[in-house]
Amino acid sequence: MAAPDLRGEAPRLTAAAFDALYQHLASGASWAAGARGALAALTPDRVTAAAQEVRTGRTVTLAAPVETSTGPDSPEPALHTMRAWSEQSDDQGLHFARDSFAMNVHGDTDSHLDALCHVIYRGTLHGGVDASSVTGDGATALTVGALADGIAGRGVLLDIPRLRGVPWLEPGDHVSADDLDAAEKSQDTRVGEGDLLFVRVGHRKRRTEAGPWNTAEARAGLHPNALEFLAERKVAVLGGDGNNDTAPSPVDGVDFPVHVLAMHAMGVHLLDYLQFEDLVPVCAAEGRWSFFCVVAPLRLPAATGSPVNPIAIV
C-alpha cells in the first residue's frame, strides 16, 4: 500500500522569518564553530561505533559519473583531454596513456563536496570568519584542506520518494522536517549525533528516465524548516542527490537558504548531486538504511570544494 501524500503546501518564508530561523540554528551550533564545523560531532568513538555497521563488506558508490557532455543542467561540463594515447605509439616499447581534467566543481551535475568557505553570507563565512579570506588566489580558511584526513562515519539514507510512493519528487517540491521524521519511522531507522545524513529526492532517477533539464530554475530539495531536524540530531554532514536546495527558493531574497543555514549557520558540510540508485536496492534487500561511509575529498588546500566519490560499506 502506497504511503499517503505528505507534501501539503510548503510555506514561503519572509526575510524576517528566515532571519529568525537562521539565528535560532546558529545559536544552537556554537559548538561547531571550528575549522571542521559540525564534523566536531564525529568523534573517534562515533567512528569506531560506525564501523560496526559493516556486516557484508559490500561497497557501493554514492557518486555519479563525471559529466563531460553539454546539456541544460551542464553548460560547463568537465573537460577531459587526452595528452597521449595508443595511436601515438610508433614502436613496441614502453609508452604511457595520459590525460587531464578541468571542471567546475560546483556545477549542477557532478558529485561534489562544498567546503565551509563556499558560502559567503552578509560579509562572513561560517563562524564569523571574514569573507576577505577568500581571494582570487583561493581561500585561506575553512577550505577543503581542513578535510585532508577525510570523513568516516555512520551514514543514514532517508528515501522520500519511497515514503510517498512515487519514483521521484517533481522539481520545485520540498522535503520538510516532518518528511524526514516520517521517513525514519517508515524505514525503521534513526539519525543520530555525528551521522552523515543522505536525503534522496530521486533527482538522478528522474534525470535518467525523463532527461536532463535546467535545474537552476526548478529542482526538488529540502525546505529550510528541515534544518531543524538536522540541528536537533547534530548531523555532521548532509548529502543529497540534487543540490539540497529547492528551486525556486521558498525564501524571499535568499536563493539558496539550505546552503546558508546548513553551512553558514550550522557548519554542516554539504555533498551535492550524489546518486543513490545503486544503494537503494542494497539497503532494501538488507532491510536496513544505515551503513559505514567514507568520504575522501581531494587534498586541495585553498579550494572551496572538491569532486568526491563517497563509498557506503554495508
Side-chain angles (χ1 to χ4, degrees):
M1 179 177 178
D5 188 343
L6 302 177
R7 286 175 290 179
E9 289 295 327
R12 284 199 62 81
L13 297 183
T14 64
F18 178 76
D19 188 61
L21 178 58
Y22 175 95
Q23 296 300 332
H24 168 68
L25 295 175
S27 64
S30 58
W31 57 273
R36 287 171 56 83
L39 289 173
L42 195 50
T43 62
D45 285 346
R46 291 197 175 104
V47 175
T48 301
Q52 304 308 306
E53 295 285 340
V54 179
R55 300 175 194 175
T56 70
R58 181 171 180 177
T59 60
V60 185
T61 177
L62 305 186
V66 172
E67 190 68 49
T68 56
S69 300
T70 302
D73 56 351
S74 59
E76 298 179 89
L79 179 63
H80 178 209
T81 304
M82 293 302 298
R83 301 297 184 183
W85 57 94
S86 60
E87 292 177 0
Q88 293 181 326
S89 304
D90 56 3
D91 58 48
Q92 298 302 307
L94 174 64
H95 298 276
F96 295 98
R98 294 181 286 110
D99 47 7
S100 64
F101 286 90
M103 67 187 303
N104 171 15
V105 171
H106 299 289
D108 287 333
T109 54
D110 296 324
S111 303
H112 64 269
L113 176 142
D114 290 341
L116 295 182
C117 60
H118 176 49
V119 174
I120 301 171
Y121 185 62
R122 295 179 176 174
T124 66
L125 311 179
H126 170 66
V129 175
D130 197 280
S132 63
S133 60
V134 183
T135 73
D137 294 322
T140 59
L142 304 180
T143 72
V144 172
L147 308 180
D149 292 324
I151 302 169
R154 178 177 182 259
V156 178
L157 174 63
L158 297 183
D159 190 341
I160 307 306
R162 180 186 180 92
L163 173 71
R164 297 186 185 173
V166 297
W168 54 70
L169 304 193
E170 291 295 342
D173 201 353
H174 303 266
V175 176
S176 68
D178 288 343
D179 284 325
L180 298 179
D181 184 67
E184 271 191 327
K185 293 180 173 63
S186 174
Q187 296 174 213
D188 193 26
T189 192
R190 183 172 176 82
V191 179
E193 187 169 346
D195 282 353
L196 285 64
L197 171 61
F198 299 100
V199 180
R200 179 177 178 266
V201 299
H203 177 94
R204 291 290 182 181
K205 183 176 179 65
R206 188 183 194 278
R207 187 179 190 271
T208 298
E209 296 188 11
W213 70 97
N214 186 350
T215 55
E217 294 184 355
R219 60 181 179 270
L222 274 63
H223 190 275
N225 71 24
L227 275 295
E228 296 196 67
F229 178 95
L230 276 70
E232 176 189 328
R233 304 302 175 82
K234 290 190 175 180
V235 164
V237 174
L238 171 64
D241 52 348
N243 175 264
N244 286 298
D245 262 295
T246 304
S249 170
V251 177
D252 295 338
V254 181
D255 287 337
F256 296 88
V258 169
H259 276 65
V260 172
L261 295 176
M263 302 184 70
H264 196 278
M266 300 167 59
V268 175
H269 287 81
L270 295 187
L271 295 167
D272 293 340
Y273 292 106
L274 304 178
Q275 65 85 21
F276 304 127
E277 304 313 308
D278 295 332
L279 180 61
V280 166
V282 174
C283 287
E286 290 291 319
R288 60 190 178 95
W289 299 86
S290 58
F291 42 87
F292 190 56
C293 188
V294 177
V295 185
L298 299 178
R299 295 196 66 179
L300 303 168
T304 64
S306 171
V308 73
N309 180 16
I311 302 296
I313 309 173
V314 181

